[in-house]
Amino acid sequence: MTKKPTEMTRKDFLKGAAISLAGVAAVGLVGCSKSTAAPVEEGISWDHETDIIIVGLGGAGAAAAYEAGAAGADVIALELAAEPGGSTNICGGLVNIGGGNALQKAAGFEDSVDNYYNFLVKAVGLGADEEQIRVFAEKSPELYTWLTETIGVKFKPGYSPKWPDPVNMEAGLTCTGDEFSNDYADVSIAIPRTGWVEGEGIPQGALTGQKNGSGFFQPLLRAVKAMSNIHIMAETAGEELIYDQDKQRVLGVKAKQGEKAITVKARKAVILTAGGFAINKDMMKNYCPAYSGTPALGTRGDNGVGIKMGQAVGADTRNMHSAYTTLSVSSYLSQASGAGGPLSQGILVSQFGTRFIAEDHYYSYTPDYMLQNHYRAKYNPSYAIIDSQILADIPEASLEKFKSFISAEANSIEELAKKLGTPEGALENTLNFYNAGAAKGKDVVFNKQTKYMTPITKAPFYALTVKPSTSTFTTGGLRINTDCQVISSISGQPIAGLYSAGRNASNVMAQQYGGSGISVATCFVFGRIAGQKAAAETSWV
């Protein structure tokens, strides 16, 4: 029987509703095109066609492109900026690689996959995805080999210990993470895991001078560009996934080259590696309100579009409330004095004059605790309390900058407490109890390492205002499985033809960060997996 124009079957209705919902999601979240209803493949005029489309060519995207290209797949990489690199290219030149790799062994350290895994599970805290962490730990030794032997990244020999030992700026191995905190002694042996590379020049926006992420990104980019089956479209913004409700899969991407709208067909898969959302103020307020007032660390590509593209086709997300940030004082001193620097000898107190954390924790732990519990800008300040002996230990090159953070000075703790306005007797009692433990080399409250337990007794005394103010990047994103397939929020199953990695996805990081270079390492590990798995897909065409 022929249907009248106004008649609609139940199947037609459900199909139309699904398409409409996809369109509404895309408009509401991405807001990048006039029509976002999922079209069928036959109705699209494709401007380009390839096996794999990669959206965002930073660390994860370049790793994915390399692996997909090496597997023989044709790849088109869409990159928003004129030059690829993203946050990976401008980071501090640190990559967290454990598990017993050659760099660790050459410096005399014996690590293992299980030791690394046990540390990470506890260090990243609530929300940890243990399956992702297991894969990451298992792939870590292989990552070092891949970076050095395949890509050509150069790590210098030697080890640079944590402060107060002499810092060796030439070393390729250091420890800028939380491995040596006593909090993890019950599950893992403390081993340094941070690889440190020389930069290739100083990219605009780089966190450090000589040491920066160009040292591992630029060799990777050269390796990608050397493949004839990989085509990079610079200044091309991926905007929207093309999803077919009939085929129940992602078909390609709508993008913009300048003012020109284009469509790119992916015969096998799309890999979203477009970064996080630290520069997107609305997303930060929505998902990370505790961090929304801190300056963003990243590039203009960290605008959340890659995450929104996934959400518009029903992708699930994980740990969207999680982010990384540091303290203004400690992050500065870490560059001059090494991780766990002079600030670790002091104590950190809230506006109530009481300690709230072990001061030798990794940089991001303190601001995270403050933001989630008591810090609200000028209304709830926190202070680092030190004495003249600790001040004397500050390297001369850092002293002037360090002093700029001092907000109060006094010849007694009682006088200092009055200047800070802490409750009567609170700061005095805190110092008395802490000094009693320091005299015995034991922190009975927060279990700080003995080497940092120095009595704070030599006047004058100083209070430094500490705040989460230096940099923030997000660590939550699209939910993926260990094959980097993006998971549907409705079915709990992979969305056909869609992968993600890097800060576009949620993988190892959770409540806490764990240590410098983990983000870069996860970009490489999971970017490689995404490229390998996507290339192995059967073409749907």
Side-chain angles (χ1 to χ4, degrees):
M1 183 178 73
T2 303
K3 292 184 293 181
K4 296 179 181 179
T6 55
E7 290 180 340
M8 179 179 289
T9 65
R10 181 175 184 273
K11 180 179 179 181
D12 292 332
F13 174 80
L14 291 175
K15 177 181 174 182
I19 292 175
S20 298
L21 285 173
V24 169
V27 169
L29 292 171
V30 181
C32 299
S33 70
K34 296 179 181 178
S35 175
T36 54
V40 294
E41 196 268 334
E42 290 78 6
I44 302 173
S45 176
W46 299 104
D47 297 295
H48 304 278
E49 182 175 336
T50 187
D51 291 323
I52 308 293
I53 301 171
I54 293 172
V55 182
L57 199 63
Y66 179 88
E67 291 295 342
D74 291 331
V75 178
I76 290 179
L78 309 178
E79 169 55 41
L80 174 67
E83 291 293 332
S87 297
T88 301
N89 192 49
I90 65 170
C91 74
L94 304 168
V95 57
N96 200 282
I97 318 175
N101 61 67
L103 184 64
Q104 292 176 304
K105 291 178 180 178
F109 296 99
E110 289 295 329
D111 199 5
S112 70
V113 168
D114 284 343
N115 193 48
Y116 192 23
Y117 168 82
N118 290 338
F119 164 73
L120 284 171
V121 169
K122 190 169 184 180
V124 302
L126 298 175
D129 186 326
E130 296 186 17
E131 290 185 355
Q132 298 276 4
I133 294 173
R134 171 59 69 180
V135 169
F136 177 69
E138 289 176 348
K139 295 288 185 181
S140 192
E142 177 188 328
L143 174 61
Y144 178 79
T145 304
W146 180 76
L147 284 171
T148 54
E149 297 182 9
T150 303
I151 303 303
V153 177
K154 292 179 172 58
F155 294 91
K156 291 184 178 181
Y159 170 59
S160 182
K162 291 168 71 86
W163 189 91
D165 298 314
V167 176
N168 177 12
M169 292 293 289
E170 296 299 310
L173 179 68
T174 185
C175 182
T176 56
D178 215 34
E179 283 89 348
F180 287 84
S181 168
N182 286 332
D183 283 357
Y184 314 112
D186 61 328
V187 297
S188 66
I189 299 169
I191 301 289
R193 300 188 175 98
T194 308
W196 208 10
V197 295
E198 299 293 324
E200 296 190 5
I202 305 177
Q204 185 177 4
L207 289 181
T208 59
Q210 187 177 2
K211 303 276 190 177
N212 61 69
S214 64
F216 34 67
F217 182 78
Q218 291 303 320
L220 176 55
L221 182 60
R222 287 193 292 270
V224 168
K225 287 182 174 180
M227 293 187 182
S228 60
N229 54 333
I230 300 177
H231 178 59
I232 300 172
M233 291 185 177
E235 297 184 296
T236 304
E239 294 191 329
E240 184 183 340
L241 294 170
I242 299 173
Y243 184 85
D244 193 312
Q245 293 287 350
D246 290 331
K247 290 182 172 65
Q248 289 288 291
R249 65 165 296 120
V250 170
L251 306 183
V253 172
K254 290 182 180 180
K256 274 284 187 68
Q257 286 184 317
E259 296 301 315
K260 181 184 177 182
I262 63 171
T263 56
V264 187
K265 181 179 181 179
R267 293 185 291 263
K268 291 187 174 183
V270 174
I271 304 175
L272 297 174
T273 51
F277 57 93
I279 71 165
N280 188 316
K281 293 182 179 180
D282 290 336
M283 289 183 72
M284 288 297 292
K285 288 179 181 179
N286 186 30
Y287 294 112
C288 290
Y291 300 88
S292 63
T294 57
L297 170 62
T299 66
R300 65 192 184 100
D302 291 297
N303 56 15
V305 167
I307 295 172
K308 290 180 177 181
M309 289 171 70
Q311 288 177 308
V313 296
D316 201 0
T317 57
R318 289 187 74 251
N319 292 324
M320 290 290 282
H321 63 288
S322 300
Y324 163 96
T325 191
T326 59
L327 289 175
S328 52
V329 184
S330 63
S331 63
Y332 172 78
L333 282 175
S334 71
Q335 297 174 27
S337 314
L343 221 58
S344 295
Q345 287 186 302
I347 63 170
L348 289 167
V349 299
S350 69
Q351 74 273 26
F352 303 114
T354 54
R355 289 177 73 206
F356 54 87
I357 200 169
E359 293 80 9
D360 61 344
H361 263 304
Y362 175 65
Y363 315 137
S364 71
Y365 279 57
T366 301
D368 179 77
Y369 182 92
M370 290 165 60
L371 287 165
Q372 298 291 353
N373 290 276
H374 68 267
Y375 180 78
R376 292 296 178 272
K378 65 181 180 180
Y379 302 107
N380 305 109
S382 295
Y383 303 101
I385 308 298
I386 64 171
D387 64 4
S388 58
Q389 182 57 57
I390 296 175
L391 187 66
D393 289 338
I394 306 298
E396 187 66 31
S398 306
L399 189 57
E400 184 177 350
K401 179 68 175 179
F402 185 84
K403 286 182 176 180
S404 69
F405 293 102
I406 295 176
S407 53
E409 176 183 348
N411 288 319
S412 69
I413 295 299
E414 291 80 7
E415 182 184 354
L416 189 67
K418 288 180 181 178
K419 289 185 175 182
L420 297 179
T422 56
E424 185 176 355
L427 183 61
E428 297 92 313
N429 289 336
T430 296
L431 259 298
N432 288 337
F433 189 81
Y434 177 83
N435 286 335
K440 300 176 183 179
K442 183 68 174 177
D443 180 4
V444 298
V445 179
F446 293 108
N447 203 23
K448 185 162 72 172
Q449 295 171 70
T450 299
K451 70 176 181 177
Y452 297 123
M453 289 295 294
T454 304
I456 301 172
T457 56
K458 187 174 180 180
F461 302 95
Y462 305 91
L464 291 79
T465 300
V466 293
K467 55 184 179 180
S469 65
T470 56
S471 56
T472 296
F473 63 84
T474 55
T475 57
L478 300 180
R479 180 187 167 202
I480 58 174
N481 60 20
T482 54
D483 287 339
C484 294
Q485 294 172 297
V486 176
I487 303 301
S488 167
S489 62
I490 298 173
S491 68
Q493 299 300 310
I495 297 174
L498 187 60
Y499 293 76
S500 186
R503 299 286 60 77
N504 206 134
S506 172
N507 41 60
V508 171
M509 283 79 75
Q511 179 189 25
Q512 298 285 6
Y513 186 61
S516 295
I518 287 183
S519 178
V520 170
T522 60
C523 285
F524 290 151
V525 166
F526 293 105
R528 293 186 67 203
I529 292 172
Q532 292 163 358
K533 297 297 183 180
E537 289 266 11
T538 301
S539 174
W540 60 267
V541 178

